[in-house]
Amino acid sequence: MTTAGTTEQIRDELARRTLELCAMPSETCSEEKIADHVEGLCRTLAGAASTVRIGNSIVCTPEYSHAEQKPVIALVGHLDTVKCAEEQPTEIRDGRVYGCGSSDMKAGVGVMLALLARWQTIAPLYRPIWIFYDKEEGPHEENGLEPVLRSNILPKIDLALVLEPTDKSLQMGCMGTIHATLTVAGKRAHSARPWQGENALYKAAALLEKFSGLTRREVCFGDLTFYEVMVVTRAWTSNSANVVPDSAMLNVNVRFAPGRSPQEAADELRAFVGDAAEVEIRDAAPSGAVYLDHPLLDPWRVRQKLTIAPKQAWTDVARFTDRGIPAVNFGPGETAQAHQAGEWCSIDSLEFAYTHLLDFFGASASAS
């Protein structure tokens, strides 16, 4: 299939590519099968010499003539998904591709592969490279993109396009995130004689009430508004059922806006908690810088009349901008569908991302 086909043929190809990827279970830390599949496609489409595998991540750098004269654009997508819902369908129906990870982000990987199938003709303006990686949905320190960025196999990247779902908009920056365990201390006792102890759960209630009173905080970059939050997502104890707990633990997720560091966010959390609990930072990821007027993006954004929006979540844009590499989010899929039971991606959004990226690279819809 080529882009010279009809719109319906293109939509069908994109939908089938996405469905094929969704049919491959690839929960975080179980990406070997899908990595094998993508590596095989890269070798077939661009050649073995252009394809390098690092663990379950694949980098594809086709050799273009006069490539050294063109800015390098990285197309970036993760292969893994969260654990699938038991009731998740995997099918094409009613203008949608249903499947675990369809919006987040096998649709993005499908568009990347469709563009790779046309690598020889899509890039009059820039030199694209493809980065597929694993473990995005897991802990920050295990993310498969990190070994790729630390390797010496990548050319100097001028701009990274991360194909996370963006609701047909160009999403700038991303929120930073930390996960912390708050431990509230009590005194252990038999549950038949609770007056002999001090129930850590009851003490934690006051701290929970304090968190429940928090509201979102606005941080603005031009017309973009990010919302910073601190939210309790889990509460647990480790005692037996007939024991007054001597400790109660809370998981707190902090989302902080571009311009702030993980250390600043952690310091604010500790100040907020005070001496009510011990704070342990378990996982932290930086925020992604905002590039509102980037010269490689502006002509395309204006020409295509793309809506600019903030990324009210964390993405691997932050890994690039933390290294001084400009990066933005632009990909197919609906953000509200990410991690949902019955997750789907509209075929309209697949076509939208594909045709707009063709235009970005300087190719027309009639390129083959």
Side-chain angles (χ1 to χ4, degrees), residues 105-180:
M105 62 172 294
K106 290 186 173 180
V109 174
V111 169
M112 289 171 65
L113 290 171
L115 293 169
L116 181 60
R118 299 152 171 90
W119 70 269
Q120 292 177 313
T121 57
I122 68 168
L125 297 178
Y126 309 120
R127 178 193 174 190
I129 65 171
W130 283 258
I131 301 174
F132 307 90
Y133 64 103
D134 64 338
K135 298 182 183 177
E136 190 271 349
E137 302 287 4
H140 177 71
E141 65 273 9
E142 296 178 8
N143 187 301
L145 181 58
E146 193 64 30
V148 173
L149 293 176
R150 288 177 180 172
S151 72
N152 60 0
I153 65 172
L154 295 173
K156 179 182 178 296
I157 297 171
D158 296 284
L159 176 68
L161 300 175
V162 179
L163 276 77
E164 292 278 1
T166 58
D167 299 321
K168 297 183 179 180
S169 65
L170 183 61
Q171 294 186 347
M172 298 290 185
C174 73
M175 301 295 287
T177 178
I178 61 174
H179 283 278

Coordinates of all heavy atoms in Angstrom, one line a residue, residues 105-180:
M105 N 0.1 3.4 23.4 CA 0.1 4.3 22.2 C 0.4 3.5 20.9 O 1.3 3.8 20.2 CB 1.1 5.4 22.4 CG 2.6 4.9 22.6 SD 3.8 6.3 22.6 CE 3.7 6.8 20.9
K106 N -0.3 2.3 20.8 CA -0.1 1.5 19.6 C -0.5 2.2 18.3 O 0.0 1.9 17.3 CB -0.7 0.1 19.8 CG 0.1 -0.6 20.9 CD -0.3 -2.1 21.0 CE 0.6 -2.8 22.0 NZ 0.2 -4.2 22.1
A107 N -1.5 3.1 18.5 CA -1.8 3.9 17.3 C -0.6 4.8 16.8 O -0.4 4.9 15.6 CB -3.0 4.9 17.6
G108 N 0.1 5.3 17.8 CA 1.3 6.1 17.5 C 2.3 5.2 16.8 O 3.0 5.7 15.8
V109 N 2.5 4.0 17.3 CA 3.5 3.1 16.7 C 3.1 2.7 15.3 O 3.9 2.6 14.4 CB 3.7 1.9 17.6 CG1 4.6 0.8 17.0 CG2 4.3 2.3 19.0
G110 N 1.7 2.5 15.2 CA 1.2 2.2 13.8 C 1.5 3.3 12.8 O 1.9 3.0 11.7
V111 N 1.3 4.5 13.2 CA 1.6 5.6 12.3 C 3.1 5.7 12.0 O 3.5 5.9 10.9 CB 1.1 7.0 12.9 CG1 1.6 8.2 12.1 CG2 -0.4 7.0 12.9
M112 N 3.9 5.5 13.0 CA 5.4 5.5 12.8 C 5.8 4.4 11.8 O 6.6 4.7 10.9 CB 6.1 5.2 14.1 CG 6.1 6.3 15.1 SD 6.7 5.9 16.8 CE 8.4 5.5 16.4
L113 N 5.2 3.2 11.9 CA 5.5 2.2 10.9 C 5.0 2.5 9.5 O 5.6 2.2 8.5 CB 4.9 0.8 11.4 CG 5.6 0.3 12.7 CD1 4.8 -0.9 13.2 CD2 7.0 -0.2 12.4
A114 N 3.8 3.1 9.4 CA 3.3 3.5 8.1 C 4.2 4.6 7.5 O 4.5 4.5 6.2 CB 1.9 4.1 8.2
L115 N 4.8 5.5 8.2 CA 5.7 6.4 7.7 C 7.1 5.8 7.4 O 7.7 6.1 6.3 CB 6.0 7.5 8.7 CG 4.8 8.5 9.0 CD1 5.0 9.3 10.2 CD2 4.4 9.3 7.8
L116 N 7.5 4.8 8.2 CA 8.7 4.1 7.9 C 8.6 3.3 6.6 O 9.6 3.2 5.8 CB 9.1 3.1 9.0 CG 10.3 2.3 8.9 CD1 11.6 3.2 8.8 CD2 10.5 1.3 10.0
A117 N 7.4 2.8 6.3 CA 7.2 2.1 5.0 C 7.4 3.0 3.8 O 7.6 2.5 2.7 CB 5.8 1.5 5.0
R118 N 7.5 4.3 4.0 CA 7.6 5.3 2.9 C 8.9 6.1 3.1 O 8.9 7.2 2.7 CB 6.4 6.1 2.8 CG 5.1 5.3 2.5 CD 3.9 6.0 3.1 NE 2.7 5.3 2.6 CZ 2.1 4.3 3.3 NH1 2.6 3.8 4.4 NH2 1.0 3.7 2.8
W119 N 9.8 5.6 3.9 CA 11.0 6.5 4.3 C 11.7 7.1 3.2 O 12.3 8.2 3.3 CB 11.9 5.7 5.2 CG 12.7 4.6 4.5 CD1 12.4 3.3 4.4 CD2 14.0 4.7 3.9 NE1 13.3 2.6 3.7 CE2 14.4 3.5 3.4 CE3 14.9 5.8 3.7 CZ2 15.6 3.2 2.7 CZ3 16.1 5.6 3.1 CH2 16.4 4.3 2.6
Q120 N 11.7 6.4 2.0 CA 12.5 6.9 0.9 C 11.9 8.2 0.2 O 12.6 8.9 -0.5 CB 12.7 5.8 -0.1 CG 13.6 4.7 0.4 CD 13.7 3.6 -0.7 OE1 12.7 3.2 -1.2 NE2 15.0 3.2 -0.9
T121 N 10.6 8.4 0.5 CA 9.9 9.5 -0.2 C 9.3 10.6 0.7 O 8.8 11.6 0.2 CB 8.8 8.9 -1.1 OG1 7.9 8.2 -0.3 CG2 9.4 8.1 -2.2
I122 N 9.3 10.4 2.0 CA 8.6 11.3 2.8 C 9.4 12.5 3.3 O 8.8 13.4 4.0 CB 8.0 10.5 4.1 CG1 9.1 10.1 5.0 CG2 7.1 9.4 3.7 CD1 8.6 9.7 6.4
A123 N 10.7 12.5 3.1 CA 11.5 13.5 3.8 C 12.3 14.5 3.0 O 13.5 14.5 3.0 CB 12.4 12.7 4.7
P124 N 11.6 15.3 2.2 CA 12.3 16.4 1.5 C 13.0 17.4 2.4 O 14.0 17.9 2.1 CB 11.2 17.0 0.6 CG 10.1 16.0 0.5 CD 10.2 15.3 1.8
L125 N 12.4 17.7 3.6 CA 12.8 18.8 4.4 C 13.8 18.3 5.5 O 14.8 19.0 5.8 CB 11.6 19.5 5.0 CG 10.7 20.2 4.1 CD1 9.5 20.8 4.9 CD2 11.4 21.2 3.2
Y126 N 13.5 17.2 6.1 CA 14.2 16.7 7.3 C 14.7 15.3 7.2 O 14.2 14.5 6.3 CB 13.4 16.9 8.6 CG 12.8 18.2 8.7 CD1 11.4 18.4 8.8 CD2 13.6 19.4 8.8 CE1 10.8 19.7 9.0 CE2 13.0 20.6 9.0 CZ 11.6 20.8 9.0 OH 11.1 22.0 9.2
R127 N 15.5 14.9 8.1 CA 15.9 13.4 8.1 C 15.2 12.8 9.3 O 15.6 13.1 10.5 CB 17.4 13.3 8.3 CG 17.9 11.8 8.4 CD 19.3 11.7 8.8 NE 19.6 10.3 9.1 CZ 20.7 9.9 9.6 NH1 21.7 10.7 10.0 NH2 21.0 8.6 9.8
P128 N 14.2 12.0 9.1 CA 13.6 11.3 10.2 C 14.4 10.1 10.7 O 15.0 9.4 9.9 CB 12.2 10.9 9.7 CG 12.4 10.7 8.2 CD 13.6 11.7 7.8
I129 N 14.3 9.8 12.0 CA 14.8 8.5 12.5 C 13.7 8.0 13.4 O 12.8 8.8 13.9 CB 16.1 8.6 13.3 CG1 15.9 9.5 14.6 CG2 17.2 9.2 12.4 CD1 17.1 9.5 15.5
W130 N 13.7 6.7 13.6 CA 12.6 6.1 14.4 C 13.1 5.4 15.7 O 14.1 4.7 15.6 CB 11.9 5.0 13.5 CG 11.0 5.5 12.5 CD1 9.6 5.5 12.5 CD2 11.3 6.1 11.2 NE1 9.1 6.0 11.4 CE2 10.1 6.4 10.5 CE3 12.6 6.3 10.6 CZ2 10.1 7.0 9.3 CZ3 12.6 6.9 9.3 CH2 11.3 7.2 8.7
I131 N 12.5 5.7 16.8 CA 12.9 5.1 18.1 C 11.6 4.4 18.7 O 10.6 5.1 19.0 CB 13.4 6.1 19.1 CG1 14.6 6.9 18.5 CG2 13.8 5.5 20.4 CD1 15.1 8.0 19.3
F132 N 11.7 3.1 18.8 CA 10.6 2.3 19.5 C 11.3 1.8 20.8 O 12.4 1.2 20.7 CB 10.2 1.1 18.6 CG 9.8 1.5 17.2 CD1 10.7 1.5 16.2 CD2 8.4 1.8 16.9 CE1 10.3 1.9 14.9 CE2 8.0 2.1 15.6 CZ 9.0 2.1 14.6
Y133 N 10.6 1.9 21.9 CA 11.2 1.5 23.1 C 10.2 0.9 24.1 O 9.0 0.9 23.9 CB 11.9 2.7 23.8 CG 10.9 3.8 24.2 CD1 10.6 4.0 25.6 CD2 10.4 4.7 23.3 CE1 9.7 5.0 26.0 CE2 9.5 5.7 23.7 CZ 9.2 5.8 25.0 OH 8.3 6.8 25.4
D134 N 10.7 0.2 25.1 CA 9.9 -0.5 26.1 C 9.9 0.1 27.4 O 10.6 1.1 27.7 CB 10.5 -2.0 26.2 CG 11.9 -2.0 26.8 OD1 12.6 -1.0 26.7 OD2 12.3 -3.1 27.3
K135 N 9.0 -0.4 28.3 CA 8.9 -0.1 29.7 C 8.6 1.4 30.0 O 9.0 1.9 31.1 CB 10.2 -0.4 30.4 CG 10.5 -1.9 30.4 CD 11.8 -2.3 31.2 CE 12.2 -3.7 31.0 NZ 13.4 -4.0 31.7
E136 N 7.8 2.1 29.1 CA 7.4 3.4 29.4 C 6.4 3.5 30.6 O 6.4 4.5 31.4 CB 6.8 4.1 28.2 CG 6.6 5.6 28.3 CD 5.2 6.0 28.8 OE1 4.4 5.1 29.0 OE2 5.0 7.1 29.1
E137 N 5.6 2.5 30.7 CA 4.5 2.5 31.7 C 5.0 2.0 33.1 O 4.3 2.0 34.0 CB 3.4 1.6 31.3 CG 2.7 2.0 29.9 CD 1.9 3.2 30.0 OE1 1.8 3.9 31.1 OE2 1.2 3.6 29.0
G138 N 6.3 1.7 33.2 CA 6.9 1.2 34.4 C 7.6 2.3 35.2 O 7.4 3.5 34.9
P139 N 8.3 1.9 36.2 CA 9.1 2.9 37.0 C 10.0 3.7 36.1 O 10.6 3.2 35.1 CB 9.9 2.0 38.0 CG 9.1 0.8 38.1 CD 8.5 0.5 36.7
H140 N 10.2 5.0 36.5 CA 11.0 5.9 35.7 C 12.4 5.3 35.4 O 12.9 5.4 34.3 CB 11.1 7.2 36.4 CG 11.9 8.3 35.8 ND1 11.6 8.9 34.6 CD2 13.2 8.7 36.1 CE1 12.5 9.7 34.2 NE2 13.5 9.7 35.1
E141 N 13.0 4.7 36.4 CA 14.4 4.3 36.3 C 14.6 3.1 35.4 O 15.7 2.7 35.0 CB 15.1 4.0 37.6 CG 14.5 2.9 38.4 CD 13.3 3.3 39.3 OE1 12.8 4.4 39.1 OE2 12.9 2.4 40.1
E142 N 13.5 2.4 35.0 CA 13.5 1.2 34.2 C 13.2 1.5 32.8 O 13.2 0.6 31.9 CB 12.6 0.1 34.8 CG 13.1 -0.4 36.2 CD 12.1 -1.4 36.7 OE1 11.2 -1.9 36.0 OE2 12.3 -1.8 37.9
N143 N 12.8 2.7 32.5 CA 12.3 3.1 31.1 C 13.4 2.7 30.0 O 14.5 3.1 30.2 CB 12.0 4.6 31.1 CG 11.4 5.1 29.9 OD1 11.9 5.0 28.8 ND2 10.2 5.7 30.0
G144 N 12.9 2.1 29.0 CA 13.8 1.6 27.9 C 14.3 2.7 27.0 O 15.3 2.4 26.3
L145 N 13.8 3.9 27.1 CA 14.3 5.0 26.3 C 15.7 5.4 26.8 O 16.5 5.9 26.0 CB 13.3 6.1 26.2 CG 13.7 7.3 25.4 CD1 14.0 6.9 23.9 CD2 12.6 8.4 25.4
E146 N 15.8 5.3 28.1 CA 17.1 5.8 28.7 C 18.3 5.2 28.2 O 19.3 5.9 27.8 CB 17.0 5.7 30.2 CG 18.0 6.5 31.0 CD 17.9 8.0 30.8 OE1 16.8 8.5 30.6 OE2 18.9 8.7 30.9
P147 N 18.4 3.8 28.1 CA 19.6 3.2 27.5 C 19.8 3.6 26.0 O 21.0 3.8 25.6 CB 19.3 1.7 27.6 CG 18.3 1.6 28.7 CD 17.5 2.8 28.6
V148 N 18.7 3.9 25.3 CA 18.9 4.3 23.9 C 19.5 5.7 23.9 O 20.5 5.9 23.1 CB 17.5 4.3 23.2 CG1 17.6 5.0 21.8 CG2 16.9 2.9 23.1
L149 N 19.0 6.6 24.7 CA 19.6 8.0 24.7 C 21.0 8.0 25.2 O 21.8 8.9 24.9 CB 18.7 8.9 25.5 CG 17.3 9.1 25.0 CD1 16.4 10.0 25.9 CD2 17.4 9.8 23.6
R150 N 21.4 7.1 26.1 CA 22.7 7.0 26.6 C 23.7 6.3 25.7 O 24.9 6.4 25.8 CB 22.7 6.3 28.0 CG 22.1 7.1 29.1 CD 22.1 6.2 30.4 NE 21.5 6.9 31.5 CZ 21.2 6.4 32.6 NH1 21.5 5.1 32.9 NH2 20.6 7.1 33.6
S151 N 23.2 5.6 24.7 CA 24.0 4.9 23.7 C 24.7 5.9 22.8 O 24.4 7.1 22.7 CB 23.2 3.9 22.9 OG 22.4 4.6 22.0
N152 N 25.6 5.4 22.0 CA 26.3 6.3 21.0 C 25.8 6.0 19.6 O 26.5 6.3 18.6 CB 27.8 6.1 21.1 CG 28.2 4.6 20.8 OD1 27.4 3.8 20.5 ND2 29.5 4.3 20.8
I153 N 24.6 5.4 19.4 CA 24.1 5.0 18.1 C 23.3 6.1 17.5 O 23.0 6.0 16.3 CB 23.3 3.7 18.2 CG1 22.0 3.9 19.0 CG2 24.2 2.6 18.7 CD1 21.1 2.7 18.9
L154 N 22.9 7.1 18.2 CA 22.0 8.2 17.7 C 22.7 9.3 17.1 O 23.7 9.8 17.6 CB 21.0 8.7 18.8 CG 20.1 7.7 19.4 CD1 19.3 8.4 20.6 CD2 19.0 7.2 18.4
P155 N 22.3 9.8 15.9 CA 22.8 11.1 15.5 C 22.4 12.2 16.4 O 21.5 12.0 17.2 CB 22.2 11.2 14.1 CG 20.9 10.5 14.2 CD 21.2 9.3 15.1
K156 N 22.9 13.4 16.2 CA 22.5 14.6 16.9 C 21.0 14.9 16.5 O 20.7 15.1 15.4 CB 23.4 15.8 16.7 CG 22.9 17.0 17.4 CD 23.8 18.2 17.0 CE 23.3 19.5 17.8 NZ 22.0 19.9 17.3
I157 N 20.1 14.9 17.5 CA 18.7 15.1 17.2 C 18.4 16.6 17.4 O 18.7 17.2 18.4 CB 17.8 14.3 18.2 CG1 18.1 12.8 18.0 CG2 16.4 14.6 18.0 CD1 17.5 11.9 19.0
D158 N 17.7 17.1 16.4 CA 17.3 18.5 16.4 C 15.9 18.7 17.0 O 15.6 19.8 17.5 CB 17.4 19.1 15.0 CG 18.8 19.1 14.4 OD1 19.6 20.0 14.9 OD2 19.1 18.3 13.6
L159 N 15.1 17.7 16.9 CA 13.7 17.8 17.4 C 13.2 16.4 17.6 O 13.4 15.6 16.7 CB 12.8 18.6 16.5 CG 11.3 18.7 16.8 CD1 11.1 19.5 18.1 CD2 10.5 19.3 15.7
A160 N 12.5 16.1 18.7 CA 11.8 14.8 18.9 C 10.3 15.0 18.9 O 9.8 15.9 19.5 CB 12.3 14.2 20.2
L161 N 9.6 14.2 18.1 CA 8.2 14.1 18.1 C 7.7 12.9 18.8 O 8.0 11.8 18.3 CB 7.6 14.2 16.7 CG 8.0 15.4 15.8 CD1 7.5 15.2 14.4 CD2 7.4 16.7 16.4
V162 N 7.2 13.0 20.0 CA 6.7 11.8 20.7 C 5.2 11.6 20.4 O 4.4 12.5 20.6 CB 6.9 12.1 22.2 CG1 6.4 10.8 23.0 CG2 8.4 12.3 22.5
L163 N 4.9 10.4 19.8 CA 3.6 10.2 19.3 C 2.6 9.6 20.3 O 1.8 8.7 20.1 CB 3.7 9.2 18.1 CG 4.0 9.9 16.7 CD1 5.5 10.2 16.6 CD2 3.6 9.0 15.6
E164 N 2.6 10.2 21.5 CA 1.6 10.0 22.5 C 0.2 10.5 22.0 O 0.2 11.4 21.1 CB 1.9 10.7 23.8 CG 3.1 10.1 24.5 CD 2.8 8.8 25.3 OE1 1.6 8.4 25.3 OE2 3.7 8.3 26.0
P165 N -0.9 10.0 22.5 CA -2.2 10.6 22.0 C -2.3 12.1 22.4 O -2.0 12.4 23.6 CB -3.2 9.7 22.7 CG -2.5 9.2 23.9 CD -1.1 9.0 23.5
T166 N -2.8 12.9 21.5 CA -2.9 14.3 21.7 C -4.2 15.0 21.3 O -4.3 16.2 21.2 CB -1.7 15.1 21.1 OG1 -1.7 14.8 19.7 CG2 -0.3 14.6 21.6
D167 N -5.2 14.2 21.0 CA -6.5 14.7 20.6 C -6.4 15.7 19.5 O -7.1 16.8 19.5 CB -7.1 15.4 21.8 CG -7.4 14.5 23.0 OD1 -7.8 13.3 22.8 OD2 -7.1 14.9 24.2
K168 N -5.6 15.3 18.5 CA -5.5 16.1 17.3 C -4.9 17.5 17.5 O -5.1 18.5 16.8 CB -6.8 16.3 16.5 CG -7.4 15.0 16.0 CD -8.7 15.2 15.2 CE -9.2 13.9 14.7 NZ -10.5 14.1 13.9
S169 N -4.2 17.7 18.6 CA -3.5 19.0 18.9 C -2.0 18.7 19.0 O -1.5 17.6 19.0 CB -4.0 19.6 20.2 OG -3.7 18.7 21.3
L170 N -1.3 19.8 19.1 CA 0.2 19.8 19.3 C 0.4 20.1 20.8 O 0.1 21.2 21.2 CB 0.9 20.8 18.4 CG 2.4 20.9 18.5 CD1 3.0 19.5 18.0 CD2 2.9 22.0 17.6
Q171 N 0.8 19.1 21.6 CA 0.9 19.3 23.0 C 2.3 19.6 23.5 O 3.2 18.8 23.2 CB 0.3 18.1 23.8 CG -1.2 18.0 23.5 CD -1.8 16.9 24.3 OE1 -1.2 16.0 24.9 NE2 -3.2 16.9 24.3
M172 N 2.5 20.7 24.2 CA 3.8 21.2 24.6 C 4.1 20.8 26.0 O 3.3 20.7 26.9 CB 3.8 22.7 24.5 CG 3.5 23.3 23.1 SD 5.0 23.0 22.1 CE 4.5 23.9 20.6
G173 N 5.4 20.5 26.2 CA 5.9 20.2 27.5 C 5.3 18.9 28.1 O 4.6 18.1 27.4
C174 N 5.4 18.8 29.4 CA 4.7 17.7 30.1 C 4.9 18.0 31.6 O 5.9 18.6 32.0 CB 5.1 16.3 29.7 SG 6.8 15.8 30.3
M175 N 4.0 17.4 32.4 CA 4.1 17.5 33.8 C 5.2 16.6 34.3 O 5.4 15.5 33.8 CB 2.8 17.1 34.5 CG 1.6 17.9 34.1 SD 1.8 19.7 34.6 CE 1.5 19.5 36.3
G176 N 6.0 17.1 35.3 CA 6.9 16.2 36.0 C 6.1 15.4 37.1 O 4.9 15.7 37.4
T177 N 6.6 14.3 37.6 CA 5.9 13.5 38.5 C 6.8 12.9 39.6 O 8.0 12.5 39.2 CB 5.1 12.3 37.8 OG1 4.5 11.5 38.7 CG2 6.1 11.5 37.0
I178 N 6.4 12.8 40.8 CA 7.0 12.0 41.8 C 6.0 11.1 42.5 O 4.8 11.5 42.7 CB 7.8 12.8 42.8 CG1 6.9 13.8 43.6 CG2 8.9 13.6 42.2 CD1 7.6 14.5 44.7
H179 N 6.4 10.0 42.9 CA 5.6 9.1 43.8 C 6.4 9.0 45.1 O 7.6 8.7 45.1 CB 5.4 7.7 43.2 CG 4.4 7.7 42.1 ND1 3.0 7.6 42.4 CD2 4.5 7.7 40.8 CE1 2.4 7.6 41.3 NE2 3.2 7.7 40.3
A180 N 5.6 9.2 46.2 CA 6.2 9.2 47.5 C 5.4 8.3 48.4 O 4.1 8.3 48.3 CB 6.3 10.6 48.1

